[in-house]
Amino acid sequence: MTHAPGDNVGIGNFGSGNMTFNGSVTGQSFWAAPNRPASTSKVDVGVLTVLKEEMRAVVNVLRTQRDYRSRRLDAGPLAHEARLPVEAGHLRIAAIQTLDRGPRSAALSYQTLIQEYAPPVVLLVGIAGGVGRDVRIGDVVVSDEVVYYDARREAADGVHRRGQSQTVAAPLGHRLNEFFAATGDTVPAPDGSTFRVHRGPIGSGDAVITDRDSEIRHWLHAYHEKVLAVETEAAGVAQAFHEEVRRDSTPRGWLTVRGVSDAADAEKGHSYHELASQHAAATMLRLLPYLLFDPPAS
C-alpha cells in the first residue's frame, strides 16, 4: 500500500481478527476520498460506551427522544435507537456498549457499529481521569486529538516512549467550532447545576493511571502540554476510523466526549462515575444537532 503525505499509519492494525499496537502515527486523519458513493447510513450518529454507568446515562437521554427502542444485534450487543428532532427533520442515533474495556474491544465495537448502522459520525461517550490544570471532577472534555501513550521501546537505559497522535477530521473540527461558539464552555446539568466543557487533546492507552506522579502523565504533558484527560478506549476508535477511511467507507469522523470522574491519582474510584457519565451524556445531547451531515430524516 502506498501512503500519501500526511496519512496516519500505526497504533493498530485491525483486520482479519488480528490486532497489533506497534506502529508509527504522524499527521492528521483526513475526511474522505473524493467521489464518495451515496450515503447508505441507517443512522446519523453512532455512540459507543464502555461502563454500565455510561450506557445508563446515554440510554436515559435517548429515552427522552422520539421513537426510542432497543434491539439485539446479530453481533451480540443490545442497541439503543432514537430520533432527535432537528430543523426540518430528525437526527437518527444508535448506541451500543463495548464488550470490555480497552482500545481493542473499542475498535471491534466500532466495527460492529459501522457494519450495522454505517453512521457518518461516531461518538465515544463516557468518563475519564482529568489531568489538565483547569479540569475538575464533573467537567466534560470533548477531545479533538488523541495521544496514544503505550507505544514505546524498553531498553537497558529505560523506557523510550514514542509520540503518536491522531486529530479529528477537519469537517468535525469545524462543527466543534460552531458548537463552542454557540454554547460557550458552560452547560446546564440534569440536576439544574452547571459544569464546564473543555476542548483539547486526551491521552489514551491500555494502562490505567492512578498516580499523580506517573511517568505516563509526565510524558504526556511533555509531548503536549495541553492534554486534558486520560482514558483507555479512544486510541482504538481513532485507529479503527482511520482504517475505515482508507477503504473509502462511510465514516466521516469520530469524537470523544468524556466526563471527568477523577484526577487519575491515588483517589481514583467509582464515587463520581454516575455524575461524570450524566454530564457526558448531557453534553452529547447538546452536541448532536451540530453533527448532522446528510439531509435529516423526515
Side-chain angles (χ1 to χ4, degrees):
M1 177 184 294
T2 300
H3 294 280
D7 280 4
N8 286 325
V9 289
I11 288 186
N13 177 27
F14 306 92
S16 304
N18 297 319
M19 296 188 179
T20 59
F21 285 79
N22 58 5
S24 167
V25 176
T26 58
Q28 298 185 349
S29 299
F30 52 88
W31 180 22
N35 302 320
R36 174 181 294 278
S39 172
T40 58
S41 300
K42 297 179 183 178
V43 300
D44 301 294
V45 177
V47 177
L48 288 175
T49 69
V50 180
L51 303 180
K52 63 181 185 296
E53 297 92 341
E54 300 169 351
M55 189 79 261
R56 184 160 52 240
V58 167
V59 169
N60 286 342
V61 166
L62 296 185
R63 286 183 184 277
T64 67
Q65 305 305 310
R66 296 188 178 182
D67 301 329
Y68 168 79
R69 70 165 184 164
S70 61
R71 67 184 183 93
R72 182 73 59 185
L73 302 184
D74 291 340
L78 185 66
H80 301 268
E81 304 171 357
R83 296 198 301 164
L84 174 69
V86 295
E87 186 175 356
H90 293 86
L91 180 147
R92 301 158 299 172
I93 316 157
I96 65 172
Q97 185 177 358
T98 65
L99 180 63
D100 201 356
R101 304 183 188 190
R104 292 177 289 271
S105 185
L108 287 173
S109 295
Y110 171 93
Q111 292 176 335
T112 296
L113 199 59
I114 295 301
Q115 290 164 6
E116 182 68 32
Y117 293 104
V121 179
V122 173
L123 301 181
L124 181 61
V125 179
I127 67 172
V131 299
R133 179 179 302 175
D134 298 324
V135 175
R136 302 288 182 266
I137 289 176
D139 287 356
V140 171
V141 173
V142 180
S143 174
D144 56 9
E145 181 178 359
V146 172
V147 180
Y148 181 62
Y149 56 67
D150 276 339
R152 64 194 182 274
R153 178 174 65 88
E154 297 194 12
D157 61 344
V159 175
H160 302 269
R161 296 193 180 275
R162 297 174 174 176
Q164 302 180 0
S165 68
Q166 293 200 41
T167 56
V168 300
L172 280 181
H174 290 302
R175 300 303 177 92
L176 280 185
N177 288 344
E178 297 168 14
F179 169 74
F180 279 97
T183 305
D185 60 2
T186 303
V187 171
D191 63 3
S193 63
T194 61
F195 58 89
R196 293 186 65 196
V197 180
H198 308 263
R199 175 182 179 177
I202 61 169
S204 183
D206 280 294
V208 177
I209 302 172
T210 60
D211 179 11
R212 186 174 293 274
D213 199 38
S214 162
E215 182 267 335
I216 292 176
R217 288 183 61 151
H218 287 300
W219 177 84
L220 279 170
H221 282 124
Y223 180 83
H224 196 315
E225 62 178 342
K226 293 186 178 181
V227 169
L228 298 175
V230 290
E231 53 88 84
T232 55
E233 285 79 33
V237 171
Q239 182 63 24
F241 163 74
H242 171 71
E243 301 263 342
E244 293 288 341
V245 169
R246 292 305 302 166
R247 293 198 295 270
D248 191 30
S249 55
T250 301
R252 292 176 179 167
W254 53 267
L255 287 173
T256 304
V257 182
R258 293 297 205 183
V260 176
S261 62
D262 57 77
D265 58 13
E267 302 300 319
K268 183 179 178 67
H270 301 278
S271 301
Y272 295 102
H273 279 194
E274 292 282 0
L275 175 71
S277 297
Q278 291 169 7
H279 288 186
T283 303
M284 175 199 75
L285 183 61
R286 286 182 168 266
L287 180 60
L288 283 172
Y290 295 87
L291 304 181
L292 185 63
F293 283 88
D294 297 320
S298 59

PDB file of all heavy atoms in Angstrom, residues 21-47:
ATOM      1  N   PHE A  21      -0.469  -3.116  18.244  1.00  0.00           N
ATOM      2  CA  PHE A  21      -0.339  -1.707  18.576  1.00  0.00           C
ATOM      3  C   PHE A  21       1.150  -1.383  18.629  1.00  0.00           C
ATOM      4  O   PHE A  21       1.739  -1.201  19.668  1.00  0.00           O
ATOM      5  CB  PHE A  21      -1.004  -1.402  19.930  1.00  0.00           C
ATOM      6  CG  PHE A  21      -2.483  -1.376  19.866  1.00  0.00           C
ATOM      7  CD1 PHE A  21      -3.205  -2.556  19.861  1.00  0.00           C
ATOM      8  CD2 PHE A  21      -3.167  -0.185  19.785  1.00  0.00           C
ATOM      9  CE1 PHE A  21      -4.582  -2.549  19.798  1.00  0.00           C
ATOM     10  CE2 PHE A  21      -4.547  -0.166  19.722  1.00  0.00           C
ATOM     11  CZ  PHE A  21      -5.247  -1.348  19.737  1.00  0.00           C
ATOM     12  N   ASN A  22       1.768  -1.311  17.466  1.00  0.00           N
ATOM     13  CA  ASN A  22       3.207  -1.103  17.464  1.00  0.00           C
ATOM     14  C   ASN A  22       3.682  -0.303  16.269  1.00  0.00           C
ATOM     15  O   ASN A  22       4.819  -0.413  15.863  1.00  0.00           O
ATOM     16  CB  ASN A  22       3.945  -2.446  17.509  1.00  0.00           C
ATOM     17  CG  ASN A  22       3.549  -3.339  16.338  1.00  0.00           C
ATOM     18  OD1 ASN A  22       2.810  -2.924  15.461  1.00  0.00           O
ATOM     19  ND2 ASN A  22       4.053  -4.561  16.349  1.00  0.00           N
ATOM     20  N   GLY A  23       2.818   0.509  15.693  1.00  0.00           N
ATOM     21  CA  GLY A  23       3.209   1.263  14.511  1.00  0.00           C
ATOM     22  C   GLY A  23       3.643   2.664  14.837  1.00  0.00           C
ATOM     23  O   GLY A  23       3.890   3.026  15.966  1.00  0.00           O
ATOM     24  N   SER A  24       3.722   3.476  13.808  1.00  0.00           N
ATOM     25  CA  SER A  24       4.101   4.880  13.932  1.00  0.00           C
ATOM     26  C   SER A  24       2.980   5.732  13.399  1.00  0.00           C
ATOM     27  O   SER A  24       2.452   5.470  12.331  1.00  0.00           O
ATOM     28  CB  SER A  24       5.373   5.141  13.130  1.00  0.00           C
ATOM     29  OG  SER A  24       5.594   6.514  12.994  1.00  0.00           O
ATOM     30  N   VAL A  25       2.587   6.750  14.136  1.00  0.00           N
ATOM     31  CA  VAL A  25       1.472   7.584  13.728  1.00  0.00           C
ATOM     32  C   VAL A  25       1.907   9.032  13.701  1.00  0.00           C
ATOM     33  O   VAL A  25       2.416   9.551  14.674  1.00  0.00           O
ATOM     34  CB  VAL A  25       0.276   7.439  14.698  1.00  0.00           C
ATOM     35  CG1 VAL A  25      -0.836   8.394  14.295  1.00  0.00           C
ATOM     36  CG2 VAL A  25      -0.245   6.020  14.668  1.00  0.00           C
ATOM     37  N   THR A  26       1.744   9.668  12.576  1.00  0.00           N
ATOM     38  CA  THR A  26       2.054  11.080  12.456  1.00  0.00           C
ATOM     39  C   THR A  26       0.995  11.729  11.604  1.00  0.00           C
ATOM     40  O   THR A  26       0.272  11.064  10.879  1.00  0.00           O
ATOM     41  CB  THR A  26       3.426  11.309  11.791  1.00  0.00           C
ATOM     42  OG1 THR A  26       3.413  10.682  10.510  1.00  0.00           O
ATOM     43  CG2 THR A  26       4.550  10.740  12.631  1.00  0.00           C
ATOM     44  N   GLY A  27       0.904  13.042  11.638  1.00  0.00           N
ATOM     45  CA  GLY A  27      -0.021  13.762  10.780  1.00  0.00           C
ATOM     46  C   GLY A  27      -1.433  13.728  11.311  1.00  0.00           C
ATOM     47  O   GLY A  27      -1.675  13.466  12.470  1.00  0.00           O
ATOM     48  N   GLN A  28      -2.403  13.979  10.436  1.00  0.00           N
ATOM     49  CA  GLN A  28      -3.794  14.092  10.823  1.00  0.00           C
ATOM     50  C   GLN A  28      -4.658  13.141  10.021  1.00  0.00           C
ATOM     51  O   GLN A  28      -4.373  12.837   8.879  1.00  0.00           O
ATOM     52  CB  GLN A  28      -4.300  15.524  10.598  1.00  0.00           C
ATOM     53  CG  GLN A  28      -3.571  16.554  11.439  1.00  0.00           C
ATOM     54  CD  GLN A  28      -4.193  17.918  11.249  1.00  0.00           C
ATOM     55  OE1 GLN A  28      -5.008  18.128  10.372  1.00  0.00           O
ATOM     56  NE2 GLN A  28      -3.798  18.848  12.088  1.00  0.00           N
ATOM     57  N   SER A  29      -5.752  12.668  10.675  1.00  0.00           N
ATOM     58  CA  SER A  29      -6.746  11.910   9.933  1.00  0.00           C
ATOM     59  C   SER A  29      -7.421  12.831   8.938  1.00  0.00           C
ATOM     60  O   SER A  29      -7.613  14.002   9.204  1.00  0.00           O
ATOM     61  CB  SER A  29      -7.803  11.357  10.900  1.00  0.00           C
ATOM     62  OG  SER A  29      -7.212  10.502  11.840  1.00  0.00           O
ATOM     63  N   PHE A  30      -7.770  12.309   7.755  1.00  0.00           N
ATOM     64  CA  PHE A  30      -8.440  13.142   6.782  1.00  0.00           C
ATOM     65  C   PHE A  30      -9.877  12.679   6.627  1.00  0.00           C
ATOM     66  O   PHE A  30     -10.265  11.629   7.110  1.00  0.00           O
ATOM     67  CB  PHE A  30      -7.708  13.119   5.437  1.00  0.00           C
ATOM     68  CG  PHE A  30      -7.435  11.729   4.927  1.00  0.00           C
ATOM     69  CD1 PHE A  30      -8.370  11.086   4.155  1.00  0.00           C
ATOM     70  CD2 PHE A  30      -6.245  11.084   5.241  1.00  0.00           C
ATOM     71  CE1 PHE A  30      -8.131   9.815   3.683  1.00  0.00           C
ATOM     72  CE2 PHE A  30      -6.004   9.808   4.767  1.00  0.00           C
ATOM     73  CZ  PHE A  30      -6.946   9.173   3.997  1.00  0.00           C
ATOM     74  N   TRP A  31     -10.671  13.499   5.946  1.00  0.00           N
ATOM     75  CA  TRP A  31     -12.117  13.292   5.941  1.00  0.00           C
ATOM     76  C   TRP A  31     -12.532  12.108   5.089  1.00  0.00           C
ATOM     77  O   TRP A  31     -13.065  11.139   5.563  1.00  0.00           O
ATOM     78  CB  TRP A  31     -12.791  14.575   5.470  1.00  0.00           C
ATOM     79  CG  TRP A  31     -14.280  14.501   5.419  1.00  0.00           C
ATOM     80  CD1 TRP A  31     -15.098  13.642   6.110  1.00  0.00           C
ATOM     81  CD2 TRP A  31     -15.133  15.328   4.647  1.00  0.00           C
ATOM     82  NE1 TRP A  31     -16.404  13.894   5.828  1.00  0.00           N
ATOM     83  CE2 TRP A  31     -16.462  14.919   4.926  1.00  0.00           C
ATOM     84  CE3 TRP A  31     -14.923  16.371   3.751  1.00  0.00           C
ATOM     85  CZ2 TRP A  31     -17.558  15.529   4.342  1.00  0.00           C
ATOM     86  CZ3 TRP A  31     -16.022  16.963   3.186  1.00  0.00           C
ATOM     87  CH2 TRP A  31     -17.319  16.556   3.475  1.00  0.00           C
ATOM     88  N   ALA A  32     -12.290  12.158   3.804  1.00  0.00           N
ATOM     89  CA  ALA A  32     -12.767  11.097   2.924  1.00  0.00           C
ATOM     90  C   ALA A  32     -12.133  11.231   1.562  1.00  0.00           C
ATOM     91  O   ALA A  32     -11.622  12.278   1.194  1.00  0.00           O
ATOM     92  CB  ALA A  32     -14.287  11.171   2.778  1.00  0.00           C
ATOM     93  N   ALA A  33     -12.170  10.155   0.827  1.00  0.00           N
ATOM     94  CA  ALA A  33     -11.678  10.201  -0.545  1.00  0.00           C
ATOM     95  C   ALA A  33     -12.693  10.915  -1.430  1.00  0.00           C
ATOM     96  O   ALA A  33     -13.872  10.975  -1.114  1.00  0.00           O
ATOM     97  CB  ALA A  33     -11.452   8.778  -1.065  1.00  0.00           C
ATOM     98  N   PRO A  34     -12.257  11.473  -2.570  1.00  0.00           N
ATOM     99  CA  PRO A  34     -13.202  12.132  -3.465  1.00  0.00           C
ATOM    100  C   PRO A  34     -14.158  11.129  -4.083  1.00  0.00           C
ATOM    101  O   PRO A  34     -13.930   9.923  -4.073  1.00  0.00           O
ATOM    102  CB  PRO A  34     -12.298  12.773  -4.521  1.00  0.00           C
ATOM    103  CG  PRO A  34     -11.055  11.951  -4.487  1.00  0.00           C
ATOM    104  CD  PRO A  34     -10.881  11.523  -3.068  1.00  0.00           C
ATOM    105  N   ASN A  35     -15.249  11.659  -4.675  1.00  0.00           N
ATOM    106  CA  ASN A  35     -16.235  10.832  -5.361  1.00  0.00           C
ATOM    107  C   ASN A  35     -16.823   9.760  -4.457  1.00  0.00           C
ATOM    108  O   ASN A  35     -16.985   8.606  -4.834  1.00  0.00           O
ATOM    109  CB  ASN A  35     -15.609  10.165  -6.605  1.00  0.00           C
ATOM    110  CG  ASN A  35     -15.062  11.194  -7.573  1.00  0.00           C
ATOM    111  OD1 ASN A  35     -15.676  12.233  -7.801  1.00  0.00           O
ATOM    112  ND2 ASN A  35     -13.906  10.908  -8.136  1.00  0.00           N
ATOM    113  N   ARG A  36     -17.123  10.161  -3.219  1.00  0.00           N
ATOM    114  CA  ARG A  36     -17.726   9.218  -2.281  1.00  0.00           C
ATOM    115  C   ARG A  36     -19.086   8.748  -2.801  1.00  0.00           C
ATOM    116  O   ARG A  36     -19.875   9.552  -3.282  1.00  0.00           O
ATOM    117  CB  ARG A  36     -17.916   9.897  -0.928  1.00  0.00           C
ATOM    118  CG  ARG A  36     -18.670   9.051   0.079  1.00  0.00           C
ATOM    119  CD  ARG A  36     -18.848   9.771   1.393  1.00  0.00           C
ATOM    120  NE  ARG A  36     -17.562   9.982   2.031  1.00  0.00           N
ATOM    121  CZ  ARG A  36     -16.939   9.065   2.738  1.00  0.00           C
ATOM    122  NH1 ARG A  36     -17.461   7.855   2.871  1.00  0.00           N
ATOM    123  NH2 ARG A  36     -15.780   9.332   3.293  1.00  0.00           N
ATOM    124  N   PRO A  37     -19.399   7.457  -2.700  1.00  0.00           N
ATOM    125  CA  PRO A  37     -20.711   6.988  -3.143  1.00  0.00           C
ATOM    126  C   PRO A  37     -21.813   7.540  -2.264  1.00  0.00           C
ATOM    127  O   PRO A  37     -21.565   8.024  -1.163  1.00  0.00           O
ATOM    128  CB  PRO A  37     -20.597   5.457  -3.004  1.00  0.00           C
ATOM    129  CG  PRO A  37     -19.506   5.254  -1.998  1.00  0.00           C
ATOM    130  CD  PRO A  37     -18.541   6.382  -2.223  1.00  0.00           C
ATOM    131  N   ALA A  38     -23.035   7.457  -2.739  1.00  0.00           N
ATOM    132  CA  ALA A  38     -24.177   7.959  -1.980  1.00  0.00           C
ATOM    133  C   ALA A  38     -24.258   7.280  -0.618  1.00  0.00           C
ATOM    134  O   ALA A  38     -23.947   6.102  -0.465  1.00  0.00           O
ATOM    135  CB  ALA A  38     -25.463   7.710  -2.764  1.00  0.00           C
ATOM    136  N   SER A  39     -24.679   8.046   0.386  1.00  0.00           N
ATOM    137  CA  SER A  39     -24.731   7.529   1.746  1.00  0.00           C
ATOM    138  C   SER A  39     -25.735   6.391   1.867  1.00  0.00           C
ATOM    139  O   SER A  39     -26.829   6.434   1.307  1.00  0.00           O
ATOM    140  CB  SER A  39     -25.112   8.656   2.709  1.00  0.00           C
ATOM    141  OG  SER A  39     -25.335   8.130   4.004  1.00  0.00           O
ATOM    142  N   THR A  40     -25.347   5.354   2.612  1.00  0.00           N
ATOM    143  CA  THR A  40     -26.253   4.266   2.922  1.00  0.00           C
ATOM    144  C   THR A  40     -26.456   4.178   4.434  1.00  0.00           C
ATOM    145  O   THR A  40     -26.786   3.120   4.964  1.00  0.00           O
ATOM    146  CB  THR A  40     -25.689   2.931   2.400  1.00  0.00           C
ATOM    147  OG1 THR A  40     -24.382   2.708   2.985  1.00  0.00           O
ATOM    148  CG2 THR A  40     -25.570   2.940   0.890  1.00  0.00           C
ATOM    149  N   SER A  41     -26.251   5.279   5.140  1.00  0.00           N
ATOM    150  CA  SER A  41     -26.325   5.291   6.590  1.00  0.00           C
ATOM    151  C   SER A  41     -27.733   4.962   7.077  1.00  0.00           C
ATOM    152  O   SER A  41     -28.721   5.474   6.560  1.00  0.00           O
ATOM    153  CB  SER A  41     -25.923   6.659   7.133  1.00  0.00           C
ATOM    154  OG  SER A  41     -24.609   6.977   6.747  1.00  0.00           O
ATOM    155  N   LYS A  42     -27.802   4.128   8.110  1.00  0.00           N
ATOM    156  CA  LYS A  42     -29.060   3.843   8.779  1.00  0.00           C
ATOM    157  C   LYS A  42     -29.284   4.799   9.941  1.00  0.00           C
ATOM    158  O   LYS A  42     -30.423   4.970  10.377  1.00  0.00           O
ATOM    159  CB  LYS A  42     -29.074   2.391   9.272  1.00  0.00           C
ATOM    160  CG  LYS A  42     -28.999   1.361   8.167  1.00  0.00           C
ATOM    161  CD  LYS A  42     -29.001  -0.034   8.748  1.00  0.00           C
ATOM    162  CE  LYS A  42     -28.859  -1.102   7.661  1.00  0.00           C
ATOM    163  NZ  LYS A  42     -28.823  -2.463   8.242  1.00  0.00           N
ATOM    164  N   VAL A  43     -28.206   5.383  10.472  1.00  0.00           N
ATOM    165  CA  VAL A  43     -28.314   6.415  11.493  1.00  0.00           C
ATOM    166  C   VAL A  43     -27.342   7.531  11.150  1.00  0.00           C
ATOM    167  O   VAL A  43     -26.430   7.352  10.336  1.00  0.00           O
ATOM    168  CB  VAL A  43     -28.034   5.874  12.917  1.00  0.00           C
ATOM    169  CG1 VAL A  43     -29.011   4.783  13.296  1.00  0.00           C
ATOM    170  CG2 VAL A  43     -26.594   5.396  13.048  1.00  0.00           C
ATOM    171  N   ASP A  44     -27.515   8.676  11.788  1.00  0.00           N
ATOM    172  CA  ASP A  44     -26.647   9.823  11.543  1.00  0.00           C
ATOM    173  C   ASP A  44     -25.465   9.867  12.498  1.00  0.00           C
ATOM    174  O   ASP A  44     -24.390  10.344  12.140  1.00  0.00           O
ATOM    175  CB  ASP A  44     -27.457  11.119  11.665  1.00  0.00           C
ATOM    176  CG  ASP A  44     -28.612  11.138  10.685  1.00  0.00           C
ATOM    177  OD1 ASP A  44     -28.350  11.178   9.473  1.00  0.00           O
ATOM    178  OD2 ASP A  44     -29.776  11.104  11.136  1.00  0.00           O
ATOM    179  N   VAL A  45     -25.665   9.380  13.716  1.00  0.00           N
ATOM    180  CA  VAL A  45     -24.603   9.360  14.724  1.00  0.00           C
ATOM    181  C   VAL A  45     -24.655   8.034  15.465  1.00  0.00           C
ATOM    182  O   VAL A  45     -25.713   7.613  15.947  1.00  0.00           O
ATOM    183  CB  VAL A  45     -24.748  10.525  15.725  1.00  0.00           C
ATOM    184  CG1 VAL A  45     -23.673  10.425  16.817  1.00  0.00           C
ATOM    185  CG2 VAL A  45     -24.649  11.870  15.023  1.00  0.00           C
ATOM    186  N   GLY A  46     -23.503   7.373  15.561  1.00  0.00           N
ATOM    187  CA  GLY A  46     -23.365   6.182  16.376  1.00  0.00           C
ATOM    188  C   GLY A  46     -22.660   6.522  17.669  1.00  0.00           C
ATOM    189  O   GLY A  46     -21.780   7.388  17.697  1.00  0.00           O
ATOM    190  N   VAL A  47     -23.038   5.858  18.753  1.00  0.00           N
ATOM    191  CA  VAL A  47     -22.471   6.144  20.074  1.00  0.00           C
ATOM    192  C   VAL A  47     -21.925   4.854  20.672  1.00  0.00           C
ATOM    193  O   VAL A  47     -22.603   3.818  20.664  1.00  0.00           O
ATOM    194  CB  VAL A  47     -23.526   6.753  21.017  1.00  0.00           C
ATOM    195  CG1 VAL A  47     -22.939   6.978  22.413  1.00  0.00           C
ATOM    196  CG2 VAL A  47     -24.058   8.066  20.448  1.00  0.00           C
TER     197      VAL A  47
END
